[in-house]
Amino acid sequence: MHNVVISGTGLYTPANSISNDELVASFNAYVAQFNAENAAAIARGEVEALTESSSAFIERASGIKSRFVVDKDGILDPQRMAPRIPERSNEQWGILCEMAIGAAQEALARAGRTAADIDGVIVACSNLQRAYPAVAIEVQAALGIQGFGFDMNVACSSATFGLQAAANSVQLGQARAILMVNPEICTGHLNFRDRDSHFIFGDACTAVIVERADLATSKHQFDIVGSKLLTQFSNNIRNNFGFLNRAAEEGIGAPDKLFVQEGRKVFKEVCPMVAELIAAHLQEHQLNVGDVKRFWLHQANLNMNLLIARKLLGRDAEPHEAPVILDSYANTSSAGSVIALHKHQDDLPSGALGVLSSFGAGYSIGSVILRKR
Ligand SMILES: CC(C)(COP(=O)(O)OP(=O)(O)OC[C@H]1O[C@@H](n2cnc3c(N)ncnc32)[C@H](O)[C@@H]1OP(=O)(O)O)[C@@H](O)C(=O)NCCC(=O)NCCS
């Protein structure tokens, strides 16, 4: 059994950003148009009038101020309210692959590695562009990596579950190093006409090099002390899009073929589960919560993160103890906690302990304990 490290992380951020005010202006234009078009039916009580969204609510309820997106114009067009991402020929690299290449190149550079040092690729994310071939195999080809590749989906927890899969492969000697990437185009599955959730998501891609400790040479290493995963079935975050939709024409285009959630229930049920899992994980390794210098938490909602940190620490976390990136990225699903890790690691001294944690649909929760080398 080999010891395993994270030897490099990388991030791809789309060029466009949408502020809350821009998003709300588009949503409210849609509301005004809907209510005008349905004025008679609304007056007769046959159709319910839509209610406007508000930037102040969004920031207060979620902590989100803006989000990066692969296509701004399509999302903000009140007649469309969805990103416009033109189809590409099979001879071109797909958009998920392109994002993965961007993040992977930075992770490889920080790890001091090239494609020749990597033996496998895991693409772990919430929404895959197609059924097959696996996007991971496309990324492998694009970067010139030998070995194997596969895709996996555990929604917002895809990255922590992907890290465990990568660490297992390296530990068992099946690979010297694995590239684990999280290309997330969350705006592709977000219902921008839904007032309760239209502000939640953004797009980004993260990459992590997981490597054998005795081979690693980078200056940015973290020992993977351990990982602990938990799943518990829930319908409170769900998306029914899938290949069987065409076998039930009556459901095509219905709102449940995009992201749907019971946000309040998610908040109430998931926060205690996450705090308990992290506390139990630390205890299994004879570590105290007080020993942890940094929590890189899933970035869905600021209030959730504040509550989880408070449950763990018994006090409010200092900003540097649980860094926030969701204010400018929103929820980027599996990429979120890795963005926090990527942006907030270089100041940690050697020996510092950190916990990377994800939570989301499934429910699925992951905790990965890291120690700075
Ligand atoms: C989604 C979330 C931000 C909503 O916040 P919330 O405080 O629970 O808000 P609620 O849905 O209960 O709505 C509270 C009020 O705000 C209103 N509201 C909802 N959306 C609004 C919007 N866009 N603009 C203005 N007001 C809005 C509601 O109508 C409600 O009004 P009422 O009190 O008069 O009925 C929050 O529940 C959350 O983050 N949950 C966890 C989400 C999560 O992590 N999901 C994981 C995804 S992977």
Side-chain angles (χ1 to χ4, degrees), residues 209-248:
I209 306 293
V210 176
E211 192 173 358
R212 249 171 66 181
D214 60 326
L215 300 177
T217 56
S218 105
K219 292 192 207 78
H220 314 287
Q221 289 181 47
F222 285 91
D223 285 310
I224 300 182
V225 177
S227 57
K228 189 175 176 72
L229 312 179
L230 178 74
T231 49
Q232 181 181 300
F233 188 67
S234 168
N235 284 319
N236 288 335
I237 313 171
R238 190 161 172 131
N239 181 343
N240 285 328
F241 180 77
F243 77 100
L244 288 180
N245 293 161
R246 68 190 281 266

Side-chain angles (χ1 to χ4, degrees), residues 53-54 57 61 156 195-196 237 261 263-264 266 300-301 304 331:
S53 182
S54 112
F57 168 84
C156 287
R195 176 172 176 261
D196 289 346
I237 313 171
Q261 77 164 353
R264 273 280 154 106
V266 173
N301 178 300
M304 275 181 110
N331 182 349

Side-chain angles (χ1 to χ4, degrees), residues 40-351:
I42 291 168
R44 288 194 302 272
E46 291 163 11
V47 171
E48 207 170 314
L50 296 181
T51 312
E52 291 194 337
S53 182
S54 112
S55 295
F57 168 84
I58 293 170
E59 193 171 339
R60 190 174 64 247
S62 70
I64 297 164
K65 297 176 184 167
S66 57
R67 68 284 295 141
F68 293 96
V69 295
V70 295
D71 177 59
K72 183 167 175 168
D73 294 346
I75 292 170
L76 291 183
D77 177 357
Q79 310 307 325
R80 178 179 176 82
M81 301 178 88
R84 169 88 187 126
I85 305 171
E87 279 201 355
R88 297 181 183 187
S89 83
N90 290 354
E91 280 61 53
Q92 294 172 286
W93 301 129
I95 188 160
L96 290 190
C97 177
E98 198 173 271
M99 292 168 78
I101 294 169
Q105 281 170 341
E106 186 181 11
L108 284 167
R110 277 179 70 88
R113 289 293 173 223
T114 68
D117 304 308
I118 310 295
D119 294 330
V121 177
I122 299 174
V123 166
C125 64
S126 291
N127 285 276
L128 290 153
Q129 194 169 355
R130 58 169 181 265
Y132 39 80
V135 174
I137 305 173
E138 187 186 357
V139 173
Q140 222 193 320
L143 291 170
I145 292 171
Q146 303 295 310
F148 63 90
F150 62 86
D151 293 347
M152 54 182 280
N153 174 2
V154 202
C156 287
S157 281
S158 296
T160 52
F161 282 57
L163 276 176
Q164 178 164 293
N168 288 349
S169 288
V170 173
Q171 206 168 24
L172 292 173
Q174 294 160 346
R176 292 165 299 161
I178 299 271
L179 164 67
M180 197 281 300
V181 265
N182 321 104
E184 294 284 14
I185 304 185
C186 300
T187 55
H189 70 95
L190 179 54
N191 183 354
F192 285 98
R193 294 189 175 86
D194 176 33
R195 176 172 176 261
D196 289 346
S197 64
H198 75 112
F199 53 88
I200 284 181
F201 287 111
D203 305 329
C205 179
T206 44
V208 181
I209 306 293
V210 176
E211 192 173 358
R212 249 171 66 181
D214 60 326
L215 300 177
T217 56
S218 105
K219 292 192 207 78
H220 314 287
Q221 289 181 47
F222 285 91
D223 285 310
I224 300 182
V225 177
S227 57
K228 189 175 176 72
L229 312 179
L230 178 74
T231 49
Q232 181 181 300
F233 188 67
S234 168
N235 284 319
N236 288 335
I237 313 171
R238 190 161 172 131
N239 181 343
N240 285 328
F241 180 77
F243 77 100
L244 288 180
N245 293 161
R246 68 190 281 266
E249 292 86 343
E250 65 277 15
I252 293 174
D256 72 323
K257 306 304 181 299
L258 294 169
F259 168 89
V260 179
Q261 77 164 353
E262 295 276 348
R264 273 280 154 106
K265 288 188 187 159
V266 173
F267 197 109
K268 261 177 76 177
E269 291 173 11
V270 167
C271 291
M273 288 170 72
V274 176
E276 278 164 32
L277 184 88
I278 294 174
H281 192 200
L282 288 167
Q283 204 170 20
E284 281 168 20
H285 289 271
Q286 282 88 48
L287 296 167
N288 296 314
V289 173
D291 299 333
V292 178
K293 292 285 172 281
R294 191 147 298 163
F295 292 94
W296 300 284
L297 298 177
H298 176 48
Q299 304 281 320
N301 178 300
L302 179 60
N303 299 323
M304 275 181 110
N305 287 15
L306 295 175
L307 179 59
I308 290 166
R310 202 176 303 130
K311 279 179 183 291
L312 279 163
L313 296 165
R315 59 170 171 81
D316 288 337
E318 299 288 331
H320 65 88
E321 290 178 300
V324 174
I325 61 92
L326 64 82
D327 52 345
S328 57
Y329 279 84
N331 182 349
T332 53
S333 193
S334 67
S337 57
V338 185
I339 299 174
L341 168 66
H342 178 72
K343 286 183 174 277
H344 298 276
Q345 58 172 269
D346 287 342
D347 60 316
L348 287 175
S350 176

